[in-house]
Amino acid sequence: MTESDPQLERIRKLLAKAEDPAVTEAEAEAYNKKAAELVARYGIDQAMLAASGASTDEIGTLKIPMNDPYSRDKASLLTSVAYPLRCRTLLHRFGQKVESVTVFGYRSDIGRVELLFTSLLLQAGTQLTRVRPDGFFPGESLAAYRRTWLHGFARAVHERLSQAEQEAVRTAAPGERSAELVVRDRAQLVQHAFDAEFGDLRSAAPRRLSGSGYLDGHDAGKRANLDPSALTRRLKALR
């Protein structure tokens, strides 16, 4: 981010401290009681402040590098985070490798995308070192299993973030303009600006993945930690 937001920076630091491989599944379930509520509400607050003129929030970009292995699947995870948060993505590819992804949207939303993607990538990477195919499909490669695992993980994250954003809009405090209208207008402005900048580029062809990891990854994505407020409570308990 070009400008540091104190609240996002605080959440980022808490997430960084809390991404402990020793976290149990029971703890992960407890962290998800609010499922991205704080991050979603932050997005609505920033949108409403900008709409009222109390703050500025401009459309911009952030380029995030992708590393192998599984750079295309990591880029898919980033896109799965970006779209529910009203951002768009542009993949920079070299052959089969995705070298980086440009996130396009309002600055406050880009900050949320960066925050969540960094945390989720670490969570997914930690689990990827442990997951293995169950042998139901003889001859299945570990790479094929892990690609579909990441695909399922990204899909579950997308579903949860979409639900959290919708709930944040529904429960937002009333103002001169409804949160629903503000969010809709911002999403349209981002799409129009993205089309004006990159509309002449081709969309990538759909991928055809083989592997049995989708359901396992989807289950892991449903348990992935998206609740920074729960992390705050855990850190306080550890101090």
Side-chain angles (χ1 to χ4, degrees), residues 46-159:
Q46 294 300 306
M48 297 300 284
L49 285 171
S52 68
S55 69
T56 58
D57 196 6
E58 299 177 348
I59 292 177
T61 62
L62 175 67
K63 197 170 186 178
I64 300 178
M66 296 289 117
N67 298 315
D68 277 330
Y70 314 117
S71 62
R72 294 179 67 183
D73 307 287
K74 293 171 183 176
S76 179
L77 174 59
L78 177 52
T79 296
S80 295
V81 173
Y83 270 65
L85 274 54
R86 299 178 291 281
C87 292
R88 295 295 177 261
T89 55
L90 178 68
L91 277 60
H92 305 278
R93 295 177 55 180
F94 184 77
Q96 295 300 310
K97 173 181 171 57
V98 176
E99 296 187 327
S100 61
V101 177
T102 293
V103 183
F104 190 97
Y106 279 94
R107 295 289 183 184
S108 63
D109 291 329
I110 290 175
R112 297 193 298 149
V113 172
E114 182 189 18
L115 167 71
L116 287 175
F117 173 69
T118 301
S119 173
L120 288 164
L121 185 62
L122 181 56
Q123 294 179 57
T126 299
Q127 295 182 66
L128 271 182
T129 63
R130 300 194 299 261
V131 297
R132 296 288 188 280
D134 59 12
F136 187 78
F137 295 98
E140 178 182 7
S141 72
L142 180 59
Y145 174 85
R146 285 177 170 174
R147 288 191 185 96
T148 50
W149 188 97
L150 279 169
H151 182 58
F153 184 90
R155 183 60 194 174
V157 165
H158 182 279
E159 292 166 355

